[in-house]
Amino acid sequence: MAKPLNISPDRLFPAEGKTRDIARALYAEVKALPIVSPHGHTDPAWFATDANWSNATELLLAPDHYLYRMLYSQGIALDALGVPDRSGAPATDPRAAWRLFAANFHLFRGTPSRMWLDHVFADVFDFDVALDASTADLYYDRVNESLASPAFRPRALFDRFNIELLATTEGAHEDLDHHAAIRASGWAGRVVTTYRPDAVVDPEHHDFAAAMRRFAELTGEDVESWQGYLAAHRKRRADFRAAGATATDHGHPSAATANLSPTEAEALFAKVVGGRWTPADAELFRAQMLTELAAMSVEDGMVMQIHPGACRNHNHKLFESHGRDKGCDIPMRTDYVQALKPLLDRFGTETRLSIILFTLDESTYARELAPLAGHYPCLKLGPAWWFHDSPEGMRRFREMTTETAGFYNTVGFNDDTRAFLSIPARHDVARRVDCAFLARLVAEHRLADWEAADVARELAHGLVRKAYKLDDPAFAPRAAEAVPA
Amino acid sequence: MAKPLNISPDRLFPAEGKTRDIARALYAEVKALPIVSPHGHTDPAWFATDANWSNATELLLAPDHYLYRMLYSQGIALDALGVPDRSGAPATDPRAAWRLFAANFHLFRGTPSRMWLDHVFADVFDFDVALDASTADLYYDRVNESLASPAFRPRALFDRFNIELLATTEGAHEDLDHHAAIRASGWAGRVVTTYRPDAVVDPEHHDFAAAMRRFAELTGEDVESWQGYLAAHRKRRADFRAAGATATDHGHPSAATANLSPTEAEALFAKVVGGRWTPADAELFRAQMLTELAAMSVEDGMVMQIHPGACRNHNHKLFESHGRDKGCDIPMRTDYVQALKPLLDRFGTETRLSIILFTLDESTYARELAPLAGHYPCLKLGPAWWFHDSPEGMRRFREMTTETAGFYNTVGFNDDTRAFLSIPARHDVARRVDCAFLARLVAEHRLADWEAADVARELAHGLVRKAYKLDDPAFAPRAAEAVPA
Amino acid sequence: MAKPLNISPDRLFPAEGKTRDIARALYAEVKALPIVSPHGHTDPAWFATDANWSNATELLLAPDHYLYRMLYSQGIALDALGVPDRSGAPATDPRAAWRLFAANFHLFRGTPSRMWLDHVFADVFDFDVALDASTADLYYDRVNESLASPAFRPRALFDRFNIELLATTEGAHEDLDHHAAIRASGWAGRVVTTYRPDAVVDPEHHDFAAAMRRFAELTGEDVESWQGYLAAHRKRRADFRAAGATATDHGHPSAATANLSPTEAEALFAKVVGGRWTPADAELFRAQMLTELAAMSVEDGMVMQIHPGACRNHNHKLFESHGRDKGCDIPMRTDYVQALKPLLDRFGTETRLSIILFTLDESTYARELAPLAGHYPCLKLGPAWWFHDSPEGMRRFREMTTETAGFYNTVGFNDDTRAFLSIPARHDVARRVDCAFLARLVAEHRLADWEAADVARELAHGLVRKAYKLDDPAFAPRAAEAVPA
């Protein structure tokens, strides 16, 4: 018999009665605030075309590496889940894939994926029985039926989800056509882009050569000369700002920065474009480029996001068969103190610079990141990220950063997701965990209740707008300019 | 006046009322489940001979480095506690040693040793007053009296403790005579061995040369040739499987693995047996051997356990006077991401391979181990180990691994102990801490109560049987074969 | 309208009713115990001259890098806060600086600075409204008025704070005149010094050359010869012991120690005083000096404190403009296991040696520090330090060290502060957090209530006196000797 699906209004609140009451009161202040999603990976084509999604497996399962990673770890083949390999999507029946997922849904007990999905199932699709083998078909059919209806098209859900702003991420070598189409369509939803130059900054990126060619085409610059290459970045940053971007994003293996002389930087670049670089050269070039891009941020005011520390594509055989982003990126120990010093020695006191730091290495929260953000005006702390974007991970983030960095050197929540339907669930988890943390401070007489309510609103809505300069007039006018095709 | 000894039925449960009620209900489901102890260091001679133990000091104090480590740290000489040095046991009166221990028992406040011992005192020996200077003699006399009785002989306690399986650990160079004797005796208790080849795999092991000679004698192989050496491992693995082993165990300074070509591996081995190796060669040889032994596990199905990260015998003078395993092993920072990659590049997708990873470096739980186990089908997470085998350590293990690896990529509890009498106490602590963790998830509406009960049973009994292949028919038939003398 | 300032008698106690009751009862046992402050940075001139302090900004804000660090991180200039730069104090109106601080006091929500200050405001200055922009002048005027009164002079507050002993820290190259004046004055307050030789031990110290000259003058030794240099240390240690010192303190970038032969050490020293050293030489010299100073501690019994792991003056431009100790020291990853081995190999079993270890790297608590202190008789654990001297930091310290090191290998609390008025607040936080931790152990039946009370008293008062040898007769006689001018 099917089990009930209960999404308790008290989920994630502490069990202790007084503290739970305080958490409830704080959450009531922030529950209905609009969602600002300043960093994520949804597909702008969805909002440009507003086409219906196809089916439950293709929307919810096959693209979500959080889900198939866990199923794969228990011996389930990716093909059987409909996950594409290098030759494309497998010939797997999507209903069969869904049934396999449903029969193994117990594997997600205690994980945030389980919590996000249950929220989606209950709130978006109105289920009141839990997903398991016995309800797999019920789920599959109802989700598909819903997805075919107008109320479940991307723009309708965007409005229903009360999203105030959604940022996608595009490469420096990619066009912004979907963003142009969104603007041209007259739809009022605010979907902006983010400048992610990794593919033209990282010589070890599998796509580096092709991305550099495209980078040259899009900018008309000689990107094989150092000055032309830097000019190309400046041009594309202007394009991205015109498409609403207020931020850049950098996903490097480490947080290393460098501060080479112009001559040294040019010589290094010559090695890189000449294809004569070593892995150490590649690391140094990425490091130098963070500093060069910081210089551009000092000029144009774009906020830098640094997301370091993942060992990408750790499973060699799976990378060969299925390609990148297949749930086998593994975090590594990451240093910030020495790594960021070259950049900070040069720009650490620039008032126009703002860098948001993320980590996959929680041991740096209290030791490195909170002290850095608690001192440098240009540094802020991004929220708990990726593997740590979870109730326990968020709790540790607050417990380990607040006492040194305070709340006001943090930047609210990032969902960082391509799973559009889960965005409200993810923001809701963040709000609940923050309210639970604040409730403990109030219950332990470390903060007054009215202060906690003030902080809760900042964490849910205020700080993100400020940190990403969403109300900065320097960005607003540009955002109103025509978007290049 | 003596203080009462109270072992509360609610110990280790959260104080908050609703959560405690949930924890109690969960614990009621698992309290009486049989004990499976798949990794430990008890002496198989105990079960082979079933002889009575001698006295409290020789059984409970002198061999337990958890205990004398703490007493030594407060300035108490090991000799005064009856701890043997390189010349053998000291001429210390065991009663005097016990009195010294009792007078300093307050040093263990807040430690798991205190909790385990109180459990043993109350449940095994039926004390109702606490151990201190005033009760030292009462304890010493009653424990000795009990130990002399038939009900306290090893097999009787094995049955009383409801142990379903107990694994000991023997070296590749050691005989399995006690295991043979246990089988030959007709006793129904299931005591199996584990293949631990460190002494013939680690050129820096103090016993390497002697162990290699014995390895040659036991196998009849030319262990100074690379092929003969590998063949000797295969032969001994078969011997161990015949003595019930389903697993191997590897206690290396790091988790480093290597993937040398056969020619390189043979050349490295020649250096090692030729005695011309450097510390870097020794590290590389251990690393390569993990991959060679993984290859054998792919063949024979034995589960690998990797226990890395201890700096052994850190106290140089104490090592000189007293030898190894004297409570002065200190954990070190340990990397898994790069360290395991060579082995995983070769065997990471082999379905017959199963590797259980342990750590002494908790910073790797959320950053490295949970992401690795939450992806690779061949990787599972061993429980909180050694210094972290404690209520707070186990709680951190669940809090830092569950959200990424789930519960089903973990393997239940290991007691990892030579302190046989404490085995029920140790498993009980693990069950209580897991129930407390699950109770919090239920109280915070992150898991349904029936799901938590299901998980609790898996953590206490189900997962360990699966992870160690105890029900795998590939092992059962061999286990029934005659055990070689 | 002004908000009330409430300092709840239950602050920092767990919300859960039974546990809070236990915490209250434990705290009642330790609340009124005298304060022993064995390590800090108050100015001995205060107690020598007993002059009134000037005003709120100069006493509470401008010298406190915890405060201006946070304000600076939010874009507030140090000059505007009255913080001196290399040319001296800025011409900032102290009232304007105070108003700026008050208007931004919300930035400290959730930080220990907020908790300490509220305690000072309520208990020392008797405020009942909270500090914010609307109460800035009220605060500024009342604090200044109080500071001008006899009851707020240093010695009066020392007595009011119930301080039993206060240790300051002086350099090896600094005179002890203020300490001499304190003794000569006949005042009964026990203010002692601590031997901090960093400036003459660290070739990279900005003041090394000048400090070495002063070191020679004060001792009459040829400090450019290795034997003369060591003799100078011995002489000054005797001077410091005569000024009440029982301890030395060492703030190195790492915990590295070395064990060079006398010849090697002398050759290294020649490089150092000859100015021909590399950064690696400097690190090796600091490392060797820890071992040399340990040898002196074996002779004279002085307790060593090692405070490693800060990257000093990380903000290069701010260091150039404002000098050292300006809130931009950032912790680094720190190793202890290999770092301390050379020293421990030589002196690890010396019963006269006592070393108190501190860390800024919490990942070492459970992995390295608790195992080291839980074994070596000469090692003890200092309390949670600097960025971790906070409620969450202290809780993590107990949770991660107690199970391996117990309570009795820790040394009570250090306030480590130059903010004299906050000393009672800081000790109060430590006592409350320890009582809360102990209360949880009692509520979870891991410790009896009477044991917890016993431990609470030790943590608040007993252990610090023992660890710093404050009752050691070897120090008492010397403390009564005449203090050199």
Side-chain angles (χ1 to χ4, degrees):
Chain A
M1 208 189 72
K3 300 285 185 181
L5 175 62
N6 286 316
I7 303 294
S8 168
D10 283 335
R11 63 191 181 279
L12 293 171
F13 295 158
E16 194 279 319
K18 281 174 300 185
T19 317
R20 179 166 287 188
D21 286 345
I22 299 165
R24 280 177 182 148
L26 292 171
Y27 179 68
E29 300 268 339
V30 300
K31 178 180 167 44
L33 288 176
I35 287 173
V36 177
S37 172
H39 178 72
H41 299 278
T42 51
D43 187 344
W46 295 337
F47 308 103
T49 66
D50 201 32
N52 287 100
W53 282 292
S54 52
N55 66 57
T57 296
E58 283 178 40
L59 177 62
L60 299 176
L61 173 59
D64 190 338
H65 58 70
Y66 284 74
L67 298 184
Y68 59 72
R69 179 182 66 71
M70 177 69 91
L71 297 160
Y72 178 82
S73 81
Q74 289 278 316
I76 296 171
L78 295 186
D79 288 359
L81 298 166
V83 179
D85 62 19
R86 286 185 181 270
S87 65
T92 308
D93 172 25
R95 179 181 298 270
W98 184 264
R99 286 176 179 166
L100 187 58
F101 167 52
N104 287 283
F105 196 50
H106 65 282
L107 297 176
F108 295 93
R109 287 171 181 164
T111 71
S113 292
R114 154 68 185 273
M115 184 160 283
W116 299 326
L117 282 171
D118 276 359
H119 183 128
V120 170
F121 295 154
D123 268 23
V124 181
F125 295 107
D126 210 27
F127 284 105
D128 60 6
V129 293
L131 179 66
D132 60 23
S134 78
T135 59
D137 282 337
L138 172 75
Y139 264 71
Y140 191 73
D141 293 332
R142 187 189 298 174
V143 169
N144 291 359
E145 190 182 346
S146 300
L147 291 179
S149 73
F152 285 78
R153 284 161 61 183
R155 293 182 182 180
L157 288 179
F158 188 101
D159 293 340
R160 175 175 164 191
F161 290 167
N162 194 19
I163 297 176
E164 195 170 271
L165 176 138
L166 179 73
T168 68
T169 306
E170 272 71 47
H173 62 297
E174 292 177 326
D175 67 54
L176 298 167
D177 293 354
H178 294 305
H179 285 277
I182 292 168
R183 303 292 169 108
S185 75
W187 176 55
R190 190 169 173 195
V191 176
V192 301
T193 186
T194 303
Y195 187 63
R196 173 99 173 213
D198 294 359
V200 297
V201 158
D202 179 4
E204 295 181 315
H205 195 285
H206 72 294
D207 217 19
F208 181 68
M212 284 288 274
R213 282 194 299 274
R214 187 74 183 121
F215 194 43
E217 290 164 16
L218 283 165
T219 60
E221 294 287 344
D222 172 12
V223 303
E224 301 210 345
S225 82
W226 180 228
Q227 292 308 324
Y229 174 76
L230 295 176
H233 277 290
R234 284 195 191 89
K235 277 195 180 173
R236 293 252 69 205
R237 291 168 72 101
D239 292 346
F240 275 66
R241 286 197 303 282
T246 64
T248 70
D249 185 33
H250 311 280
H252 291 194
S254 79
T257 66
N259 193 2
L260 301 179
S261 70
T263 316
E264 291 168 327
E266 184 157 7
L268 177 61
F269 179 73
K271 277 202 221 176
V272 161
V273 291
R276 292 164 293 109
W277 48 270
T278 63
D281 292 329
E283 174 73 356
L284 183 59
F285 185 69
R286 291 186 298 259
Q288 179 62 22
M289 280 309 297
L290 283 183
T291 306
E292 300 290 345
L293 292 160
M296 296 183 197
S297 278
V298 171
E299 289 168 17
D300 65 20
M302 294 181 84
V303 175
M304 293 183 81
Q305 299 170 95
I306 303 180
H307 283 93
C311 174
R312 301 278 171 179
N313 312 309
H314 192 275
N315 185 330
H316 180 64
K317 288 185 183 166
L318 194 70
F319 176 66
E320 287 190 338
S321 61
H322 284 71
R324 56 187 281 130
D325 294 329
K326 286 297 175 295
C328 47
D329 299 338
I330 308 290
M332 295 180 292
R333 205 158 60 211
T334 303
D335 163 67
Y336 293 85
V337 181
Q338 299 304 327
L340 294 176
K341 200 166 186 325
L343 188 158
L344 293 169
D345 281 348
R346 190 152 155 212
F347 296 120
T349 58
E350 290 287 344
T351 54
R352 289 210 70 193
L353 183 63
S354 186
I355 302 175
I356 302 176
L357 298 173
F358 295 81
T359 198
L360 295 174
D361 180 353
E362 293 177 305
S363 76
T364 65
Y365 281 157
R367 187 181 61 216
E368 304 179 22
L369 292 175
L372 285 166
H375 167 73
Y376 281 99
C378 64
L379 298 182
K380 296 278 175 292
L381 300 188
W385 175 41
W386 198 343
F387 296 98
H388 312 303
D389 174 11
S390 63
E392 301 298 323
M394 290 173 181
R395 178 174 58 80
R396 286 195 292 270
F397 174 80
R398 292 288 174 212
E399 290 180 357
M400 296 201 274
T401 64
T402 304
E403 294 179 315
T404 291
F407 292 108
Y408 295 85
N409 285 308
T410 65
V411 304
F413 180 64
N414 284 185
D415 55 66
D416 194 20
T417 191
R418 63 198 75 213
F420 179 63
L421 269 61
S422 74
I423 285 179
R426 290 168 191 252
H427 286 258
D428 188 65
V429 168
R431 292 173 185 192
R432 288 173 178 277
V433 173
D434 281 339
C435 288
F437 177 71
L438 288 164
R440 182 160 75 84
L441 296 193
V442 174
E444 295 177 0
H445 304 285
R446 296 156 72 176
L447 210 56
D449 52 3
W450 65 270
E451 291 181 295
D454 196 28
V455 172
R457 286 186 299 263
E458 286 295 316
L459 299 183
H461 192 254
L463 292 174
V464 63
R465 294 198 66 90
K466 190 174 167 203
Y468 285 87
K469 303 190 178 182
L470 302 181
D471 303 308
D472 186 332
F475 286 97
R478 285 195 188 89
E481 285 166 19
V483 176
Chain B
M1 207 189 73
K3 301 285 185 179
L5 175 63
N6 286 317
I7 302 295
S8 167
D10 282 335
R11 64 191 181 277
L12 293 171
F13 295 158
E16 193 280 319
K18 282 173 300 185
T19 317
R20 180 167 286 188
D21 285 346
I22 299 166
R24 280 177 183 147
L26 292 172
Y27 179 68
E29 298 269 339
V30 300
K31 179 180 166 42
L33 289 175
I35 287 173
V36 177
S37 173
H39 177 73
H41 299 278
T42 50
D43 186 344
W46 295 336
F47 310 102
T49 65
D50 202 30
N52 287 100
W53 282 291
S54 50
N55 65 56
T57 297
E58 282 178 42
L59 177 62
L60 299 176
L61 173 58
D64 190 337
H65 58 70
Y66 284 73
L67 299 185
Y68 59 72
R69 179 182 65 71
M70 177 70 90
L71 297 161
Y72 178 81
S73 80
Q74 289 276 316
I76 297 171
L78 294 186
D79 288 358
L81 298 166
V83 180
D85 63 18
R86 285 185 182 271
S87 66
T92 309
D93 172 26
R95 181 182 295 269
W98 184 264
R99 286 177 179 167
L100 187 59
F101 167 52
N104 286 283
F105 196 50
H106 65 281
L107 297 177
F108 295 93
R109 287 171 181 164
T111 71
S113 292
R114 153 69 184 272
M115 183 160 283
W116 298 327
L117 281 171
D118 276 359
H119 184 129
V120 169
F121 295 154
D123 268 22
V124 180
F125 294 106
D126 211 27
F127 285 105
D128 59 7
V129 293
L131 180 65
D132 59 24
S134 78
T135 59
D137 282 337
L138 172 75
Y139 264 71
Y140 191 73
D141 293 331
R142 187 189 298 173
V143 169
N144 290 359
E145 188 183 349
S146 299
L147 291 179
S149 72
F152 285 78
R153 285 161 60 183
R155 293 182 181 180
L157 287 178
F158 188 101
D159 292 341
R160 176 175 163 191
F161 291 166
N162 194 19
I163 297 175
E164 195 170 272
L165 175 136
L166 179 73
T168 67
T169 306
E170 273 71 47
H173 61 296
E174 292 177 326
D175 68 54
L176 297 167
D177 293 355
H178 294 304
H179 284 277
I182 293 167
R183 304 293 170 106
S185 76
W187 176 54
R190 190 171 173 195
V191 177
V192 303
T193 186
T194 302
Y195 187 62
R196 173 98 173 213
D198 294 358
V200 297
V201 158
D202 179 5
E204 295 181 315
H205 195 285
H206 72 293
D207 217 19
F208 181 68
M212 284 289 274
R213 283 193 298 275
R214 187 73 183 122
F215 195 44
E217 289 164 16
L218 283 165
T219 60
E221 293 289 342
D222 172 13
V223 302
E224 302 209 346
S225 82
W226 180 228
Q227 292 309 322
Y229 175 76
L230 295 176
H233 277 290
R234 284 195 192 88
K235 274 195 181 171
R236 291 253 68 203
R237 291 168 73 101
D239 292 346
F240 275 66
R241 286 196 303 282
T246 64
T248 70
D249 184 33
H250 312 280
H252 291 195
S254 79
T257 65
N259 194 1
L260 302 178
S261 70
T263 315
E264 291 167 327
E266 184 158 5
L268 176 61
F269 179 74
K271 276 203 221 176
V272 162
V273 291
R276 293 164 292 109
W277 48 270
T278 64
D281 291 331
E283 174 73 356
L284 183 59
F285 185 68
R286 291 187 297 259
Q288 179 61 22
M289 281 309 298
L290 282 184
T291 307
E292 299 291 345
L293 292 160
M296 295 182 198
S297 277
V298 171
E299 289 169 16
D300 65 21
M302 292 180 86
V303 175
M304 292 183 81
Q305 297 170 98
I306 304 181
H307 283 92
C311 173
R312 300 279 172 179
N313 312 308
H314 192 274
N315 185 331
H316 180 65
K317 288 186 183 165
L318 194 70
F319 176 65
E320 286 190 339
S321 61
H322 284 72
R324 57 186 281 130
D325 294 330
K326 285 298 175 293
C328 45
D329 300 339
I330 308 291
M332 296 180 292
R333 206 158 60 214
T334 304
D335 162 68
Y336 293 86
V337 182
Q338 299 305 326
L340 294 176
K341 199 164 188 324
L343 188 157
L344 293 169
D345 281 349
R346 190 153 154 210
F347 296 121
T349 58
E350 289 288 343
T351 54
R352 288 210 70 193
L353 183 63
S354 186
I355 302 176
I356 301 174
L357 297 173
F358 295 81
T359 198
L360 295 173
D361 181 354
E362 293 177 305
S363 76
T364 65
Y365 281 157
R367 185 180 62 217
E368 304 179 22
L369 292 175
L372 285 165
H375 167 73
Y376 281 100
C378 63
L379 298 182
K380 295 278 177 291
L381 299 188
W385 173 42
W386 198 343
F387 297 96
H388 312 302
D389 173 11
S390 63
E392 301 298 324
M394 290 173 181
R395 179 175 58 79
R396 286 196 290 271
F397 175 79
R398 291 291 174 210
E399 289 180 358
M400 295 201 274
T401 64
T402 304
E403 294 179 315
T404 291
F407 292 108
Y408 295 85
N409 285 308
T410 65
V411 305
F413 180 64
N414 284 187
D415 55 66
D416 194 21
T417 193
R418 62 199 74 212
F420 179 62
L421 268 60
S422 74
I423 286 179
R426 290 168 190 252
H427 285 258
D428 187 65
V429 168
R431 292 174 184 188
R432 288 174 178 274
V433 173
D434 280 340
C435 288
F437 177 72
L438 289 163
R440 181 160 77 85
L441 296 192
V442 173
E444 296 178 359
H445 304 287
R446 295 156 73 176
L447 210 56
D449 53 3
W450 65 271
E451 291 180 298
D454 196 28
V455 172
R457 285 185 300 263
E458 286 295 317
L459 299 182
H461 192 254
L463 292 174
V464 62
R465 294 198 66 91
K466 191 174 167 201
Y468 285 87
K469 302 191 178 181
L470 302 181
D471 303 307
D472 186 333
F475 286 96
R478 285 195 188 89
E481 285 167 18
V483 177
Chain C
M1 209 189 71
K3 301 285 185 182
L5 174 63
N6 286 316
I7 303 295
S8 168
D10 283 335
R11 62 190 182 278
L12 293 171
F13 295 158
E16 194 279 319
K18 280 174 300 185
T19 317
R20 179 166 287 189
D21 286 345
I22 299 165
R24 279 177 183 148
L26 293 171
Y27 178 68
E29 299 268 340
V30 299
K31 178 180 168 40
L33 288 175
I35 287 174
V36 178
S37 172
H39 177 73
H41 299 279
T42 50
D43 186 344
W46 296 337
F47 309 104
T49 65
D50 201 31
N52 287 100
W53 281 291
S54 51
N55 65 58
T57 296
E58 282 178 41
L59 176 63
L60 299 175
L61 173 58
D64 190 336
H65 58 70
Y66 284 74
L67 298 184
Y68 60 73
R69 180 183 67 69
M70 177 69 91
L71 297 161
Y72 179 82
S73 80
Q74 289 277 315
I76 297 172
L78 295 187
D79 287 358
L81 298 165
V83 179
D85 62 18
R86 284 185 182 271
S87 65
T92 309
D93 171 27
R95 181 182 297 270
W98 184 264
R99 285 177 179 166
L100 187 58
F101 167 52
N104 286 283
F105 196 50
H106 64 282
L107 297 176
F108 296 93
R109 288 171 179 164
T111 71
S113 292
R114 153 68 184 272
M115 183 160 284
W116 299 327
L117 281 172
D118 276 358
H119 183 129
V120 170
F121 295 153
D123 268 23
V124 180
F125 295 106
D126 210 26
F127 285 104
D128 60 6
V129 292
L131 179 66
D132 59 24
S134 77
T135 59
D137 283 336
L138 172 75
Y139 264 71
Y140 191 72
D141 293 330
R142 186 188 299 172
V143 168
N144 290 0
E145 189 182 347
S146 299
L147 291 180
S149 72
F152 286 78
R153 285 162 60 184
R155 292 182 181 179
L157 287 178
F158 188 100
D159 293 340
R160 174 174 165 192
F161 291 168
N162 194 18
I163 297 176
E164 194 170 273
L165 176 137
L166 179 73
T168 68
T169 306
E170 273 71 47
H173 61 299
E174 293 177 325
D175 67 54
L176 297 167
D177 294 354
H178 294 305
H179 284 276
I182 293 168
R183 303 295 169 106
S185 75
W187 176 54
R190 190 169 173 195
V191 177
V192 302
T193 186
T194 303
Y195 187 63
R196 173 99 172 215
D198 294 359
V200 297
V201 158
D202 180 3
E204 295 180 316
H205 195 284
H206 71 296
D207 217 19
F208 181 67
M212 284 289 274
R213 282 193 300 273
R214 187 75 183 120
F215 195 43
E217 289 164 18
L218 284 164
T219 59
E221 293 287 344
D222 172 13
V223 302
E224 302 210 346
S225 83
W226 180 230
Q227 291 310 321
Y229 174 77
L230 294 176
H233 277 290
R234 285 195 191 88
K235 276 196 180 170
R236 292 252 68 202
R237 292 168 71 101
D239 293 345
F240 275 66
R241 287 197 303 283
T246 63
T248 69
D249 185 33
H250 311 280
H252 291 195
S254 79
T257 66
N259 194 1
L260 302 178
S261 70
T263 314
E264 291 167 326
E266 184 157 6
L268 177 61
F269 179 73
K271 276 202 223 178
V272 161
V273 291
R276 293 165 292 109
W277 48 270
T278 64
D281 292 330
E283 173 74 357
L284 183 59
F285 184 68
R286 291 187 297 260
Q288 179 62 23
M289 280 310 298
L290 283 183
T291 306
E292 300 291 344
L293 292 160
M296 295 182 198
S297 278
V298 171
E299 287 168 18
D300 65 20
M302 293 181 85
V303 175
M304 293 183 80
Q305 298 171 96
I306 303 182
H307 283 93
C311 174
R312 300 278 172 180
N313 312 307
H314 192 274
N315 185 331
H316 179 64
K317 289 185 184 165
L318 195 69
F319 176 66
E320 287 190 338
S321 61
H322 284 72
R324 57 187 283 130
D325 293 330
K326 287 297 175 293
C328 45
D329 300 338
I330 308 290
M332 296 179 293
R333 205 158 60 212
T334 304
D335 163 67
Y336 293 86
V337 182
Q338 298 305 326
L340 294 176
K341 201 166 186 325
L343 189 158
L344 293 169
D345 281 349
R346 190 152 154 212
F347 296 121
T349 58
E350 289 288 343
T351 53
R352 289 211 68 195
L353 184 64
S354 186
I355 302 176
I356 301 175
L357 297 173
F358 295 81
T359 198
L360 294 173
D361 181 353
E362 293 178 305
S363 76
T364 65
Y365 281 157
R367 186 181 62 216
E368 304 178 22
L369 292 176
L372 285 165
H375 168 72
Y376 281 99
C378 63
L379 298 182
K380 296 281 176 287
L381 299 188
W385 174 42
W386 198 344
F387 297 96
H388 312 303
D389 173 11
S390 63
E392 300 299 323
M394 291 172 180
R395 179 176 57 80
R396 286 196 291 272
F397 174 80
R398 292 289 173 212
E399 289 180 358
M400 296 202 273
T401 64
T402 304
E403 294 179 315
T404 291
F407 292 107
Y408 295 85
N409 284 308
T410 65
V411 305
F413 180 63
N414 284 187
D415 54 67
D416 194 19
T417 193
R418 63 198 75 213
F420 179 61
L421 270 60
S422 74
I423 286 178
R426 290 168 191 251
H427 285 258
D428 188 65
V429 168
R431 291 173 185 191
R432 287 174 179 275
V433 174
D434 281 339
C435 289
F437 177 71
L438 288 164
R440 181 159 76 84
L441 296 194
V442 173
E444 295 178 0
H445 303 286
R446 295 155 74 176
L447 211 55
D449 52 3
W450 65 270
E451 291 181 298
D454 195 28
V455 172
R457 286 185 299 263
E458 287 294 318
L459 299 183
H461 192 255
L463 291 175
V464 63
R465 294 198 65 89
K466 190 173 167 202
Y468 285 87
K469 303 191 178 181
L470 302 181
D471 303 307
D472 187 332
F475 285 97
R478 286 195 188 88
E481 285 167 18
V483 177

